[in-house]
Amino acid sequence: MTRPALLALLGLLVHGGDARASLFCVVPETADGFVALRAAPSAQGRLILRMRAGDEVQIVEGGRGGWSKVRHWPGDARLANGYTGFTEGHAARRFLRDCG
């Protein structure tokens, strides 16, 4: 089983099966070297941080217009520190296609 699939399965088990609030995935590699986490669901939204390949996100809401509200943990911080220490914002769904 791949790491993203294992994380998604673990998230479903921990959160009682609510896929919208428990689906985890790993940020993919991109040509720019990052995926933007923005304050608003648009390319013009304020940049909160640059998510790097291997960071983990949890989809909180499916969103509108090609954007999803997510929680972000750098690297494996969620697994190491539990569900604390995340940053919440919006990410373009095209970069989250392996999240379900």
Side-chain angles (χ1 to χ4, degrees):
M1 184 176 282
T2 66
R3 182 173 183 231
L6 182 60
L7 291 171
L9 178 60
L10 179 61
L12 287 172
L13 293 173
V14 169
H15 292 285
D18 181 1
R20 289 181 305 122
S22 62
L23 193 55
F24 295 93
C25 67
V26 176
V27 174
E29 292 196 29
T30 65
D32 293 339
F34 69 93
V35 175
L37 183 67
R38 298 198 174 271
S42 92
Q44 289 72 41
R46 179 180 55 82
L47 179 66
I48 296 172
L49 60 84
R50 294 175 179 197
M51 301 185 291
R52 303 290 178 189
D55 287 357
E56 190 174 28
V57 295
Q58 175 188 32
I59 297 176
V60 178
E61 294 175 10
R64 303 175 208 105
W67 293 82
S68 290
K69 186 173 185 179
V70 300
R71 292 179 180 154
H72 166 264
W73 289 267
D76 64 354
R78 182 186 64 84
L79 296 175
N81 303 322
Y83 293 91
T84 62
F86 59 84
T87 304
E88 199 165 88
H90 300 270
R93 266 193 305 230
R94 70 178 180 270
F95 298 112
L96 306 176
R97 60 182 163 253
D98 290 336
C99 289

